[in-house]
Each structure stands twice: as C-alpha cells, then as structure tokens.
Amino acid sequence: MRRLSGRHAKAGSEKPRPAGSRLAARGSRPNISRRVLDLPPYLFADLDRLKQAAIQKGVDVISLGIGDPDLPTPAPVVEALARAARKPENHRYPSYEGLLSFRTAAAKWCGRRFGIAVNSETEVVSLIGSKEGIAHAPLAFLNPGDAALVPDPGYPVYRTSVLFAGGRPVTLPLLEKNGFKPDLGSLSRKLPARCRMMFVNYPNNPTGAGATLDFFQELADFARRRGIIVCHDAAYTEVHFGEDSQHPPSFLQAEGAGEIGIEFHSLSKTCNMTGWRIGFAIGNRDLVGALGKIKTNIDSGVFQAIQEAGIAAFQIAGEHVRMMSGIYAERLAVVQDGLRSAGIEFCRTDGTFYVWAKVPKGHTSMEFAKKVLDRTGVVVTPGHGFGQFGEGYFRITITQDVARLQEAMSRLKALR
Ligand SMILES: *Cc1c(COP(=O)(O)O)cnc(C)c1O
C-alpha cells in the first residue's frame, strides 16, 4: 500500500485520522503566488463583522448591500432547465464556444434589442456568467506590462483581472461632474504608455449612470484612433427606467465599434439568474476568438441544459424586463423619497438597481456605513470599496420589497 504522505504518517499508525483533525501540521506554510499575496485587502471585513454581531444580538438587519436580485428566475426558464436536464446528450462535455443554438438565440436577441447584426458562429461565445469573460479578457488581450484603463469607482474584477494577466491597471476616474463618464479629452492628452485596453460599464455599477449612443460613438472614435480594445460590461442594459425609446444602448451600435469592441452580456440581472452562471460575449471576431482560445485552455464551457434554459430566457426577456422595470421603478421612488426626507443627496439612476448617494459631511464613506449599521441595522456599501473616487459616496441596492425599503428609509431618517 502506498502512503500518501510519508512525512506525517508514523510507521505502524494505520488508524484513520479523527474527523475534524487539521489537514496540515502547524508551522509550515506552502508558497503562494505574488498575484494572490498582492491582492488588495478585503475592505468590508469590519463591516461584515459588525453585521454578523448585529444579527447575533437580534437586530432586524436590512441589507441594502449586495447586488443580487431578490425575485426568482421566471418559471418558463426553470421549466426549460428541468426538461433539458433530463436529456442525456446534455450530460456530456459542452463545446467550449457554446451551443450554436444558444449563440444564435443570443445573436437574435441582440438584433431585436439593439438593431445590430451579430454572426452567431464567429462573433459570440457563451460565458459562465459575464464575470468569467471579463476576468479572462486581459489574458487574451494584454502582454505583460501593458496598461489597461479601469474605471474608478468600478466593479473590482476589472482591476484584479488586469493584475492577474501581468498587466498594469491605470485608474480612469469617473467623476460626477462628467456624469460618471471618463473624460476622453484629457485622456487623449495623457494616455499611459502601451495602453492596450479599457473597461467601461453602462448602465454603471455602482453609480447608476447611463451612457448615450453619442458617448459610445465618441468612445469608439477615440479607441480606434488610439488602437485600444474596448471591453464593455453590459450586465445592466436591461435594468432601466426610461421609456422604450430610451433603452440603454449597446457599445456595438456605435459606428466602427465592431473593429475594437467586445461586449459582455449576462442573463444574471436581466432574468434574475445570478446563481445560474450564464452570459455571453459578442463583438469583433478576433477578440471573441482570442477569448475563446483562453477559455478552451481553462474551462470546458457552460452546462448545455443551462444554455437551453438561456434560450428560453431570451424568449421571455422582453416581457420579463418590462415587468421588472415597473417593480424597480416603484422601489427606486421609495428610496429616493426616503433619502430626500432624510436630507441625503443622491445621484440620478438611469439604470441598474443602485442608488449612489452622498455621504453627509464629516464622515468617510466607511465611517458612515458603520454608523448607519450600528444605529439603524441597515447595511449600505461604502463607496470607497469601489475605488478611491468612490470616497464620499455610498451605494444602496433596491433588491428588497417596498415595505423593507420603506422601513430602511424611515430608520435612516431617524438617524439625523
Ligand atoms: C453583476 C455584475 C456582473 C456579472 O454578473 P455575472 O453574474 O457574472 O454575469 C458584471 N459586471 C457588473 C458590473 C455586475 O454588477
């Protein structure tokens, strides 16, 4: 019989280790890579501890912190998964680029929604959630030492994925005076050396700001002139409040965007499917192809039954999104009215389920979030967690029902 670990197993002691015993002897620690050791510290550890302590004390904690829809996935999508899961042909390895039927459904949905023609064979790849594609993009597009522009405040994955690929993240400040859009004029004047790619995200997490097609056109023109790949995170294009004519655009609607652009879409926020892990990337065929090459070497694609359920999601998305817009609009009004009566300023939400509000004078965003939790049992996210330019703000998520949001707002009002 071969011993698994000669060093730790004493000769003659064949007894199994008692359950719960430590796996490794204390004292010796394995080597961990620099890229893991250098990860930025987790900023919310204190806040998480305070939240757990409050729950333990029996406080009725209302979490307006996490960006995860509270309502269930639409029934037809769940039914489609149940049917697809029973088909043995779906139990095998999927193709790495995704089922052609899923990619075709995705391309058709993009056609209906954005009026863009996407080739389902060469310009779409299925993703294990859009985060997966976003996190792998820098591996496909950057050489070590290349710069990538990452929005601040922003989704933390942009920065870490650039670091994992050996790239150099360069902060792209998103300021309120510019509508939380990057200032392309000043960027043109001082572009970092070897700048190869940039991330953008509209409707924007955490600020709730939207982008017009005019802005996307300026961005496409800028990126083509400078030879920069644009990675647009489109996770929230279906979470919006305007009239049908004001639906958030795709970056790929801009002229020439197909030469330098790739866009990451997700069913997570569109159809309340965050746990399912399904999304897709569309755009320039070389960029989509390069991302696909990374994926073939890392993962083996999305469970086909989930892709079949995704096809069902595209069929009901229009109707579902209209229904969700009504629900989110009502909740947004509750939060905005509540903030107004609490005397807290906030920014306009064009899309997403977030309200980006201003920290009252005299606190950092972290101090304020701790005070709110301590005094009211309401969890909000300090803006600093999204980058240095998030300081002075906090984020409220409206993924709670109207009664809970009203309760949270009346507690905030009492805080003063
Ligand atoms: C939720 C979210 C995503 C990703 O969601 P997936 O579930 O991985 O598709 C991507 N970007 C932003 C900004 C998000 O908030």
Side-chain angles (χ1 to χ4, degrees), residues 3 48 81 85 94 111 141 145 154 161 246 293 316 335 345-346 348 354 377 382 386 400 409:
R3 285 233 180 86
D48 286 352
L81 173 66
F141 308 145
S161 64
Q246 298 162 356
K293 281 211 170 120
I316 55 106
V335 168
E345 286 180 61
F346 55 90
R348 178 196 157 91
Y354 305 114
F386 301 99
Q400 296 272 1
M409 291 303 119

Side-chain angles (χ1 to χ4, degrees), residues 16-204:
R17 298 159 66 87
S21 72
R22 283 178 177 275
L23 202 55
R26 251 175 296 181
S28 65
R29 301 188 70 174
N31 293 321
I32 299 293
S33 73
R34 257 300 29 113
R35 71 176 65 80
V36 170
L37 295 174
D38 287 349
L39 276 173
Y42 179 63
L43 292 176
F44 303 137
D46 270 5
L47 213 52
D48 286 352
R49 249 194 314 279
L50 280 177
K51 179 181 164 187
Q52 284 315 319
I55 291 171
Q56 226 109 72
K57 267 192 291 179
V59 175
D60 173 28
V61 168
I62 305 178
S63 179
L64 308 182
I66 301 164
D68 194 351
D70 55 312
L71 295 172
T73 305
V77 181
V78 178
E79 293 306 322
L81 173 66
R83 278 195 305 275
R86 290 191 200 101
K87 294 194 218 159
E89 67 267 31
N90 283 340
H91 300 169
R92 313 189 63 183
Y93 279 123
S95 61
Y96 81 90
E97 75 276 22
L99 279 175
L100 184 59
S101 54
F102 175 79
R103 289 180 292 139
T104 302
K108 281 198 178 139
W109 177 80
C110 289
R112 289 200 297 278
R113 175 61 181 78
F114 302 113
I116 53 180
V118 180
N119 182 321
S120 49
E121 295 196 25
T122 56
E123 296 172 339
V124 192
V125 60
S126 302
L127 299 173
I128 311 170
S130 62
K131 181 180 184 179
E132 179 263 305
I134 291 165
H136 285 146
L139 286 176
F141 308 145
L142 293 180
N143 288 315
D146 285 348
L149 298 162
V150 296
D152 180 336
Y155 189 52
V157 181
Y158 310 139
R159 180 176 296 272
T160 49
S161 64
V162 169
L163 290 170
F164 283 175
R168 197 159 48 85
V170 176
T171 296
L172 192 58
L174 302 186
L175 305 179
E176 190 172 351
K177 65 173 178 158
N178 300 325
F180 299 109
K181 249 77 82 205
D183 178 352
L184 299 178
S186 73
L187 191 60
S188 282
R189 289 189 291 278
K190 49 175 198 325
L191 198 66
R194 293 174 60 192
C195 184
R196 301 278 182 254
M197 65 180 277
M198 70 191 294
F199 281 107
V200 281
N201 162 227
Y202 294 99
N204 181 258

Side-chain angles (χ1 to χ4, degrees), residues 67 128-132 134 155 158 201 203-205 233 235-236 265-269 273-274 277-279 354 395:
I128 311 170
S130 62
K131 181 180 184 179
E132 179 263 305
I134 291 165
Y155 189 52
Y158 310 139
N201 162 227
N204 181 258
N205 176 9
D233 178 351
Y236 291 98
H265 287 268
S266 174
L267 288 168
S268 289
K269 315 292 162 59
M273 293 174 70
T274 48
R277 312 314 303 134
I278 182 152
Y354 305 114
R395 192 189 73 177

Side-chain angles (χ1 to χ4, degrees), residues 156-296:
V157 181
Y158 310 139
R159 180 176 296 272
T160 49
S161 64
V162 169
L163 290 170
F164 283 175
R168 197 159 48 85
V170 176
T171 296
L172 192 58
L174 302 186
L175 305 179
E176 190 172 351
K177 65 173 178 158
N178 300 325
F180 299 109
K181 249 77 82 205
D183 178 352
L184 299 178
S186 73
L187 191 60
S188 282
R189 289 189 291 278
K190 49 175 198 325
L191 198 66
R194 293 174 60 192
C195 184
R196 301 278 182 254
M197 65 180 277
M198 70 191 294
F199 281 107
V200 281
N201 162 227
Y202 294 99
N204 181 258
N205 176 9
T207 67
T212 59
L213 190 50
D214 285 345
F215 169 75
F216 280 154
Q217 190 60 58
E218 271 179 61
L219 180 63
D221 294 344
F222 161 82
R224 282 167 73 203
R225 268 198 312 276
R226 299 308 195 107
I228 295 172
I229 296 165
V230 175
C231 296
H232 181 227
D233 178 351
Y236 291 98
T237 57
E238 308 316 298
V239 186
H240 57 79
F241 310 97
E243 298 299 308
D244 281 7
S245 60
Q246 298 162 356
H247 285 179
S250 160
F251 172 64
L252 296 166
Q253 285 172 253
E255 235 169 279
E259 291 170 27
I260 40 78
I262 182 167
E263 189 161 80
F264 299 91
H265 287 268
S266 174
L267 288 168
S268 289
K269 315 292 162 59
T270 304
C271 286
N272 304 340
M273 293 174 70
T274 48
W276 295 58
R277 312 314 303 134
I278 182 152
F280 61 96
I282 57 172
N284 177 274
R285 59 188 291 170
D286 294 335
L287 301 179
V288 169
L291 182 60
K293 281 211 170 120
I294 296 290
K295 286 176 57 59
T296 39

